[in-house]
Amino acid sequence: MRSCLRRIRFLIGAFPVFVSLLSAAQNGQQMSFSIYDQSTAIPFTRFVTIPVHPGIQVAAEFGLNDRPHGRAFAAAHLGYFYHRHLAQGFYVGGDLGYEARTRFRLSFAGLFGLGYLRTYVTQPEYVFQNGSYVRRPDKGNGRVMPSLSLETGYYFKPTRRSTQLFIRYQSWVEYPYSPGFIELMSHINLHLGVRFTLVQDNTAP
């Protein structure tokens, strides 16, 4: 019950971030939504992993320098993943990215991200107390999660605010993972997502 309340408090704490993401729509800013497969692996050594450990992420993007064939942008994101054998995690964070766009509507991007992750175990843990093993309450763990992502996408229309489908390969670590034993744990996420504008700004070029 307590662990459930802590997760609810975390979601309440993240709610202002979610509201800010939605408020971005008032200015016609771009949003992205993705589902992904999450796994523990050394970055850039694996691409698709089985079994699938699902995740979901929503983000709002803010243009920093938009040019005809490329743009720099910042993003605020909120997400969740469920790894059946390890943990489930809730996270908030931000990204800085640059996207190059070709005349064939293809795009290639790189992103650097930093976020806060709160994880809860998905398997019971026990501790030895008073001559017997008892289940340890899950208080959750807070970690920093820096990430590096590579992305490719396709815009449906030649306009710069067109809806886009994208695939993103994200490598990230959680730190500290288990101080004194395993300092950090590396992960990869393979995203399939869509980038779109919730409220179209007709004055945009």
Side-chain angles (χ1 to χ4, degrees):
M1 183 65 182
R2 289 183 179 178
S3 63
C4 181
L5 291 176
R6 281 190 290 271
R7 294 170 200 180
I8 292 174
R9 283 199 295 268
F10 179 86
L11 290 176
I12 292 174
F15 185 72
V17 177
F18 184 68
V19 170
S20 69
L21 298 184
L22 293 181
S23 66
Q26 299 302 317
N27 297 321
Q29 289 178 286
Q30 286 186 302
M31 306 287 293
S32 70
F33 173 81
S34 63
I35 55 176
Y36 61 85
D37 177 22
Q38 188 274 335
S39 67
T40 54
I42 298 175
F44 305 107
T45 61
R46 303 180 69 182
F47 190 71
V48 178
T49 60
I50 300 294
V52 171
H53 302 293
I56 184 173
Q57 178 172 298
V58 61
E61 296 185 358
F62 307 87
L64 300 178
N65 187 2
D66 198 346
R67 298 178 179 276
H69 299 293
R71 67 184 181 101
F73 61 95
H77 62 247
L78 174 68
Y80 166 81
F81 68 81
Y82 181 84
H83 191 299
R84 185 177 59 177
H85 304 299
L86 187 63
Q88 58 180 331
F90 303 84
Y91 59 89
V92 295
D95 300 281
L96 287 175
Y98 183 82
E99 178 190 74
R101 187 175 180 177
T102 74
R103 61 177 178 173
F104 303 108
R105 305 179 193 175
L106 294 174
S107 66
F108 303 92
L111 300 91
F112 171 75
L114 186 63
Y116 172 78
L117 169 69
R118 192 76 183 176
T119 61
Y120 299 88
V121 297
T122 50
Q123 300 293 331
E125 293 184 337
Y126 296 90
V127 293
F128 191 72
Q129 290 182 347
N130 302 323
S132 63
Y133 286 95
V134 297
R135 186 167 181 173
R136 188 173 67 177
D138 182 11
K139 299 180 181 179
N141 293 289
R143 277 80 181 261
V144 177
M145 52 178 302
S147 65
L148 180 63
S149 304
L150 298 176
E151 177 187 299
T152 184
Y154 178 78
Y155 285 93
F156 290 133
K157 297 180 180 179
T159 57
R160 288 152 65 180
R161 290 184 177 273
S162 165
T163 299
Q164 179 203 42
L165 288 179
F166 66 85
I167 295 176
R168 179 183 299 169
Y169 184 90
Q170 179 185 26
S171 60
W172 61 280
V173 299
E174 56 177 311
Y175 177 84
Y177 183 71
S178 180
F181 181 56
I182 302 175
E183 295 297 328
L184 58 86
M185 178 65 75
S186 61
H187 301 259
I188 58 172
N189 295 347
L190 183 62
H191 293 253
L192 175 61
V194 58
R195 182 171 283 112
F196 56 96
T197 303
L198 284 178
V199 178
Q200 185 67 50
D201 182 358
N202 295 325
T203 63

